[in-house]
Amino acid sequence: MPSGLFALLDDVATIAKVAAASIDDVSAAASKAGVKAAGVVVDDTAVTPRYVTGFTPDRELPIIWRITKGSLFNKLVLILPALLLLSTLAPWAITPLLMLGGAYLCFEGAEKVIQSLQKDEATLAEHAVEVADKGHEEAMVKGAVRTDFILSAEIMVIALNEVLDEHLVMRGATLAVVAVLITVAVYGVVGLIVKMDDIGLHMAKEGSSGRRAVGRWLVAVMPKLLAALAAVGTAAMLWVGGQIFLHGLDEYHIGGLGHALHDLAHRIGGGLPLGGAWEWAIGAAGAGLFGLLLGGVIAGILHVLPGKKGGH
């Protein structure tokens, strides 16, 4: 009986060691995959605050929480099973789907550029009514979750690419860890950014003179930061979308635009100080310009042709 008990305890200890090793493997794989996806994570963080800008302070965190839940649903319920299935049965379908997502990001970014160039004739009172409208909040949340889906898909595909040689369970566990950690990190930072002006206002009301000065500075600088992030978010959508689409064209050996852009960036940036940084900047600018052109064409097709048909 004692020997049986010791044997059982030894088996439990062995299982525990295997489980711990598996957790370590998943953590290491998730860390590696997360680093590879860091560029898209930054884009995701820059894009999201523009969907919260303009709302009253009491609605900011609830809206971010709704987007966070939508993001987790995107990653864990929609994207993760689909990628595992595609990576097993139809790996050829991943690139076309990514290209469609990249084209959508280009369209979204081009739409924002077009809107920024158009004169806004609405009054402040009309903007206030629009922001207070429940339907406006619903539209912004849906738009944010829709854009998050594309960026999340890119993040998850990059993560999947790092663990393609692992078995199915390992791939699934790694993607799940990446999905949760990245979502918490992105929307935690977004929540902090959009509430920073409220924190500054609280600091400006009490405490030492230095604390109040910092608070006043935060209150003054946050609207400018949010406006800058909105611009960065638009640029990020064009850059990431253009890069995804160019990479897909290269995969199918169409046009060679992606390779040509890479070679151009290398030739120009390679001879400059901090050449790697210049290469990245030139490549990002080229991909963003391509994304703007592609998005503009899509916007033209969707807006001009329906206008001709519908007569408006």
Side-chain angles (χ1 to χ4, degrees):
M1 186 70 173
S3 62
L5 176 61
F6 287 132
L8 176 61
L9 291 176
D10 185 57
D11 290 341
V12 170
T14 300
I15 292 172
K17 289 178 182 178
V18 171
S22 298
I23 292 172
D24 287 341
D25 290 342
V26 170
S27 299
S31 176
K32 181 182 178 182
V35 169
K36 288 286 186 179
V40 187
V41 172
V42 172
D43 299 334
D44 202 0
T45 307
V47 166
T48 305
R50 71 183 179 86
Y51 289 100
V52 190
T53 302
F55 287 97
T56 56
D58 62 303
R59 293 306 308 155
E60 290 173 344
L61 289 182
I63 290 171
I64 292 171
W65 174 235
R66 291 181 63 190
I67 298 172
T68 303
K69 291 189 292 184
S71 179
L72 284 172
F73 183 85
N74 284 340
K75 293 183 179 74
L76 296 176
V77 179
L78 300 179
I79 298 172
L80 192 154
L83 287 183
L84 291 179
L85 189 63
L86 285 174
S87 67
T88 303
L89 302 178
W92 56 265
I94 293 177
T95 297
L97 288 175
L98 276 177
M99 291 180 71
L100 284 175
Y104 176 78
L105 282 179
C106 294
F107 164 70
E108 280 276 293
E111 282 276 87
K112 294 303 175 185
V113 173
I114 293 170
Q115 289 173 11
S116 68
L117 296 176
Q118 294 173 341
K119 185 178 180 181
D120 187 3
E121 298 179 354
T123 64
L124 288 176
E126 289 172 335
H127 279 303
V129 171
E130 180 187 17
V131 170
D133 183 15
K134 185 69 174 178
H136 176 66
E137 179 177 322
E138 290 295 324
M140 294 302 282
V141 170
K142 288 179 180 178
V145 173
R146 196 163 53 240
T147 301
D148 172 272
F149 180 88
I150 307 300
L151 292 171
S152 293
E154 177 68 0
I155 290 169
M156 298 287 276
V157 168
I158 292 172
L160 175 65
N161 191 53
E162 293 301 306
V163 291
L164 271 178
D165 295 333
E166 302 291 344
H167 56 78
L168 185 64
V169 174
M170 180 67 171
R171 272 181 274 161
T174 301
L175 290 181
V177 171
V178 168
V180 173
L181 292 182
I182 284 180
T183 302
V184 170
V186 166
Y187 291 102
V189 171
V190 169
L192 180 62
I193 289 172
V194 301
K195 297 306 291 182
M196 193 63 72
D197 55 347
D198 294 335
I199 296 172
L201 184 61
H202 177 74
M203 292 175 64
K205 290 180 178 178
E206 58 186 27
S208 65
S209 59
R211 172 190 168 95
R212 292 197 300 273
V214 171
R216 289 192 296 270
W217 178 81
L218 285 174
V219 171
V221 80
M222 286 313 297
K224 298 176 183 177
L225 176 60
L226 287 173
L229 280 176
V232 169
T234 299
M237 284 194 290
L238 293 170
W239 164 41
V240 174
Q243 196 172 54
I244 292 171
F245 203 88
L246 285 172
H247 181 72
L249 291 177
D250 287 343
E251 286 284 316
Y252 293 118
H253 307 289
I254 299 174
L257 290 176
H259 291 306
L261 178 60
H262 178 270
D263 293 340
L264 177 65
H266 180 70
R267 284 200 302 270
I268 296 175
L272 298 173
L274 301 175
W278 280 107
E279 285 186 41
W280 177 89
I282 295 168
L289 179 59
F290 174 84
L292 180 59
L293 293 174
L294 176 61
V297 170
I298 296 171
I301 293 173
L302 294 179
H303 289 287
V304 176
L305 292 183
K308 289 181 179 178
K309 291 178 182 179
H312 54 264

